[in-house]
C-alpha cells in the first residue's frame, strides 16, 4: 500500500470503518439515514457511539466535541473528555448515544441577531450523520447543526442541509415528469478552489494591521507587483513547498481530497483545490482546510492569510465555488453530453439555473458579500459586482436556436492547431474559460467566482440550492400537468431563454462597457456589502426561503442583523487599528525623519560653508505638509469613528455610515501615509513594506 493510501482518511470514521466496526443491521440503518434521509433510531445511535468511542480511543483520542459552524465563518467546538468516574475511585471511558446525538453548548456569546434572548441562551447541537466524524488534536469531532431552543438555525450548516433536501425534492419531481423512475435523490456537489497568501511570520508579527484585521491597512506599492505574471503557476519556492506537502498530508488524513496546488497571480499567493463532494461535506471540509492551512503554516514560521484583500493594488483571494447537481445514480444533471441540443433534460436544468440566477441575483450577491470582498468585487480584478452568466460558444448557439423556435444542432468543437506534427491535435474546449465572469458554465458545472476566500461556502451554496429548487418546482408544476411533456419542455425552454437571456454575457466582465450594458439590461449592480444586505429582507427572498423551508422569516431577519453588525464591527476594528498605527507608529516616525532633515540643514549651515541645502529643505517642506495633512486625516477619522459609535437605533443606518463615512476617511488617511512611506527613509519606517512582505520568501 502506498503511503497516500495508508494515510488518506486515517482519522475519519468513514464508510469503511463503519462497515468494519458496526453490526450489519446498525450499519444498514445508518447508511439508510445518510443516503435516503430517513430518521435515525436512537438505539442505532447508541451502538454507533460505542463504536466511535472505541475507534477514537484506539487512535489516541481522549475527548469528544460537537463541532459546529456558528455565524462567525469559523467553527466552534467544546471538548468533553470520555472519562466517567466509577464507584471505586477509578474512571471508565464513556460516550453514549445521547451524547452523540445532542449537545448543549452555552451559546450566549455567538451571534444570533436577536434570535435568542439571553435568558434562553442555551443552544443545541444535533449530530449530522451525513458528514463523517473525525479526529483532530486528540478529540473525536462530531459534525453538528446548531440551533436555538425553539429550533431556529443559529449556524450555517442547518440551512445548507435544509436546502439540499429542498433541491432534491424538486429535482426529483422534474426527473419523474421526464420519465425517470429510478433516481431517488438529487445531490448537489461542490468543489471549492481556495486561494490564500503565505507570508513570513516575522513580517506578520511586526504589523498590527495584519494581526488585528487580517489585511494591511497601510502600504505603498512595491516597485514590482504582479505585472510580469512570473508568479502565476511558477515553480513553488522550497519553503512554501514544504508547507504544502505537510498541508496535503494533514488534509488527506482527514479524508479531504486536496488535489491541485499552484501559485496564483499575485506574489505570495497560492491556491488549493479538492476533488468535489456533496455540498455539505465540501463545506465542512473547506472549513477544516482553512483551519489546517493556518495551523500548518505556523509550524513553518509562516502565516496563512485568508483575507480577501490582504494587500492593496495586487490581486485578492476568493473561492471558486464549482457547483453541480447529480442523481444518486451518478448522473450529473449539468453534463451536456456530446450533443446538448438533443439532451432536453440537460437543457431544462441549465435553463433552470439561468432563470434562478436572474430572478435572485440580489440574493446570490449577498451570499458572497463580506467586508473583505468589497475590496475585490467590481475592482477590476475579481468578478464585477454585477451578476451575469457565461455559457460559452456552444451553449450560446443552442440558446439562440431555442429562442428562434427550436434546436436542431450542436456546434462541434474545433481542433486546436499547434503547428507541430508530433504534438497531438487538442480539441478546443467549447466552454472556453472566461475568467472575468462571476458565474461561468465550465463543462459540466457552474463556477461561482464571487465567493470570498475567508468565508464559509455554506451561504452561497444554500442560496444556489434554494433558488434552483424554486425554479425547478415551477417547472415540475407545469410538466406534471402537461398533456404533452415534450411540447411543454420546448415551451418552458423558449420562455426562459426569452425572458432571462439578459443575464447571459460572454464578454469581458471587467470592461467599462459591460457596466453600462448591464445597466441597460436592467441587471443590478450592487457595489457594497452594506447595500447587498438589504436583499435578506426583500419580500420575494423571504418568500422563497420560507417556501422551501430553508430559512424562516425570523431567521432571515436575524441574518440581516448579524451581517450588518459584522460589517460595523469589522470597520470599527479596522479604523481603530489604523488610528493606533498612524498615531503611535507613523506619526512619530515621520516627525523623527523631519527632525533629522532640519538638523541636517542647521548643521550644514552652521559650518559656514556655502553648501546647497535645497534638497533637504524641499524634502522637509514636502514631509511637513504631508505630516500636517496626515494629522488632519487622523482627526477626521477619529471624529467619524466617534460619530459611528454614538449612532443608535437602525442597524442599517449605522452600517451605511461606516461604509460611506468611516471607510472613506480611512482611505483618505491611508493615502497620505502611503505617500509618506515613499519619501521617508526606509530605516525609520516603522513596519515592513509590501516589498519586504511579498518578496522575502
Ligand atoms: P480550474 O482552476 O480550471 O477552475 P480546478 O481543477 O482547479 O479547475 O478546479 C475545478 C474544481 O471543480 C475541482 O474542485 C473539481 O473537483 C470541481 N468539480 C469537478 N466536477 C464537479 C462537479 N460535477 N460538481 C462540483 N464540482 C466539480
Ligand atoms: Mg476555477
Amino acid at each position: 500500500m502506498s503511503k497516500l493510501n495508508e494515510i488518506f482518511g486515517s482519522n475519519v470514521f468513514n464508510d469503511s470503518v463503519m462497515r468494519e466496526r458496526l453490526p450489519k443491521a446498525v450499519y444498514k440503518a445508518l447508511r439508510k439515514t445518510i443516503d435516503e434521509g430517513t430518521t435515525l433510531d436512537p438505539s442505532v445511535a447508541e451502538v454507533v457511539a460505542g463504536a466511535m468511542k472505541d475507534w477514537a480511543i484506539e487512535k489516541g483520542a481522549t475527548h469528544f466535541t460537537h463541532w459546529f459552524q456558528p455565524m462567525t465563518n469559523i467553527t466552534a467546538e467544546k471538548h468533553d473528555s470520555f472519562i466517567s468516574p466509577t464507584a471505586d475511585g477509578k474512571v471508565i471511558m464513556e460516550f453514549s448515544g445521547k451524547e452523540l446525538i445532542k449537545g448543549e453548548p452555552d451559546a450566549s456569546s455567538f451571534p444570533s441577531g436577536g434570535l435568542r434572548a439571553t435568558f434562553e441562551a442555551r443552544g443545541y447541537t444535533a449530530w449530522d450523520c451525513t458528514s463523517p466524524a473525525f479526529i483532530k488534536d486528540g478529540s473525536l469531532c462530531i459534525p453538528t447543526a446548531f440551533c436555538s431552543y425553539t429550533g431556529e438555525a443559529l449556524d450555517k450548516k442547518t440551512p445548507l442541509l435544509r436546502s439540499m433536501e429542498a433541491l432534491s425534492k424538486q429535482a426529483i419531481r422534474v426527473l419523474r415528469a421526464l420519465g425517470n423512475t429510478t433516481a431517488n435523490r438529487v445531490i448537489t456537489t461542490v468543489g471549492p478552489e481556495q486561494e490564500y497568501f503565505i507570508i513570513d511570520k516575522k513580517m506578520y508579527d511586526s504589523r498590527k494591521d495584519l494581526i488585528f484585521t487580517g489585511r494591511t491597512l497601510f502600504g505603498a506599492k512595491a516597485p514590482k507587483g504582479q505585472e510580469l505574471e512570473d508568479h502565476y503557476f511558477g515553480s513553488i519556492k522550497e519553503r512554501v513547498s514544504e508547507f504544502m506537502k505537510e498541508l496535503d498530508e494533514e488534509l488527506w488524513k482527514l479524508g479531504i481530497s486536496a488535489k491541485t496546488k499552484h501559485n496564483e497571480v499575485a506574489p505570495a499567493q497560492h491556491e488549493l483545490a479538492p476533488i468535489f463532494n456533496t455540498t455539505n461535506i465540501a463545506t465542512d471540509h473547506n472549513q477544516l482546510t482553512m483551519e489546517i492551512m493556518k495551523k500548518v503554516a505556523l509550524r513553518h514560521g509562516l502565516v496563512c492569510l485568508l483575507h480577501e484583500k490582504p494587500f492593496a493594488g495586487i490581486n485578492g483571494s476568493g473561492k471558486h465555488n464549482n457547483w453541480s447537481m447529480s442523481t444518486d445514480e451518478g448522473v450529473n444533471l449539468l453534463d451536456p453530453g456530446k450533443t446538448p441540443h438533443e439532451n432536453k433534460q440537460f437543457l431544462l436544468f441549465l435553463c433552470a439555473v439561468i432563470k434562478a440566477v436572474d430572478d435572485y441575483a440580489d440574493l446570490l450577491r449577498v451570499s458572497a458579500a463580506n467586508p473583505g470582498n468589497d475590496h475585490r468585487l467590481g475592482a477590476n480584478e475579481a468578478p464585477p459586482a454585477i451578476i451575469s452568466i457565461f455559457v460559452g460558444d456552444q451553449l450560446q448557439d443552442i440558446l439562440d436556436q431555442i429562442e428562434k423556435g427550436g434546436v436542431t444542432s450542436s456546434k462541434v468543437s474545433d481542433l486546436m492547431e499547434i503547428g507541430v506534427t508530433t504534438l497531438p491535435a487538442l480539441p478546443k474546449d467549447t466552454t472556453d474559460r472566461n475568467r472575468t465572469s462571476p458565474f461561468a458554465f465550465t463543462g459540466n458545472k457552474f463556477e461561482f467566482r464571487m465567493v470570498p476566500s475567508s468565508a464559509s461556502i455554506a451561504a452561497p451554496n444554500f442560496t444556489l440550492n434554494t433558488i434552483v429548487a424554486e425554479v425547478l418546482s415551477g417547472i415540475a408544476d407545469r410538466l406534471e400537468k402537461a398533456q404533452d411533456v415534450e411540447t411543454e419542455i420546448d415551451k418552458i425552454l423558449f420562455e426562459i431563454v426569452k425572458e432571462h437571456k439578459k443575464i447571459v454575457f460572454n464578454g469581458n466582465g471587467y470592461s467599462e462597457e459591460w457596466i453600462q450594458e448591464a445597466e441597460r439590461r436592467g441587471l443590478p449592480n450592487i457595489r457594497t456589502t452594506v447595500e447587498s444586505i438589504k436583499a435578506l429582507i426583500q419580500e420575494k427572498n423571504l418568500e422563497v426561503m420560507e417556501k422551501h423551508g430553508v430559512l424562516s422569516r425570523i431567521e432571515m431577519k436575524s441574518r440581516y442583523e448579524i451581517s450588518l453588525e459584522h460589517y460595523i464591527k469589522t470597520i470599527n476594528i479596522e479604523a481603530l487599528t489604523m488610528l493606533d498605527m498612524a498615531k503611535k507608529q507613523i506619526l512619530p516616525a515621520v516627525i523623527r525623519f523631519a527632525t533629522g532633515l532640519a538638523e541636517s540643514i542647521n548643521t550644514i549651515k552652521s559650518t559656514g560653508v556655502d553648501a546647497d541645502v535645497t534638497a533637504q529643505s524641499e524634502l522637509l517642506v514636502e514631509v511637513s505638509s504631508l505630516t500636517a495633512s496626515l494629522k488632519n486625516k487622523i482627526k477626521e477619522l477619529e471624529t467619524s469613528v466617534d460619530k459611528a459609535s454614538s449612532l443608535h437605533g437602525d442597524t442599517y443606518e449605522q452600517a451605511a455610515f461606516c461604509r460611506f463615512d468611516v471607510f472613506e476617511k480611512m482611505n483618505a488617511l491611508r493615502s497620505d501615509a502611503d505617500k509618506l512611506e515613499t519619501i521617508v527613509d526606509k530605516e525609520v519606517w516603522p513596519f515592513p513594506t509590501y516589498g519586504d512582505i511579498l518578496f522575502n520568501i
Side-chain angles (χ1 to χ4, degrees), residues 341-378:
H341 71 284
E342 294 171 329
N343 188 346
K344 289 284 167 70
Q345 178 178 301
F346 162 72
L347 292 177
L348 260 187
F349 280 92
L350 172 79
C351 285
V353 177
I354 292 176
K355 175 170 163 56
V357 172
D358 191 26
D359 284 346
Y360 297 97
D362 57 342
L363 206 46
L364 215 46
R365 171 69 180 87
V366 69
S367 81
N370 77 357
N373 231 8
D374 274 13
H375 302 277
R376 297 173 67 229
L377 301 185

Side-chain angles (χ1 to χ4, degrees), residues 298-370:
L298 286 175
R299 291 185 204 151
H300 294 259
L302 301 165
V303 172
C304 168
L305 302 177
L306 291 170
H307 193 280
E308 289 70 27
K309 193 75 174 178
F311 305 99
I314 61 172
N315 273 12
S317 301
K319 283 193 244 250
H320 287 179
N321 189 85
N322 295 275
W323 175 94
S324 191
M325 302 168 266
S326 66
T327 69
D328 54 349
E329 299 174 310
V331 178
N332 181 347
L333 298 173
L334 289 177
D335 185 351
K338 285 220 164 59
T339 49
H341 71 284
E342 294 171 329
N343 188 346
K344 289 284 167 70
Q345 178 178 301
F346 162 72
L347 292 177
L348 260 187
F349 280 92
L350 172 79
C351 285
V353 177
I354 292 176
K355 175 170 163 56
V357 172
D358 191 26
D359 284 346
Y360 297 97
D362 57 342
L363 206 46
L364 215 46
R365 171 69 180 87
V366 69
S367 81
N370 77 357

Side-chain angles (χ1 to χ4, degrees), residues 188-193 232-233 257 259-262 264 271-277 320-326 332 334 433 435 442 444-447 449:
T188 50
T189 51
V190 162
E193 301 161 54
Y232 193 42
F233 279 68
S257 51
K259 186 156 163 72
T260 60
K261 52 184 178 189
H262 60 77
E264 261 300 328
E271 181 190 288
L272 181 146
I275 297 172
F276 68 96
N277 213 317
H320 287 179
N321 189 85
N322 295 275
W323 175 94
S324 191
M325 302 168 266
S326 66
N332 181 347
L334 289 177
R433 299 302 169 96
R435 290 282 168 192
T442 49
N444 57 4
K445 61 191 188 296
F446 277 101
E447 187 167 335
R449 302 199 180 115

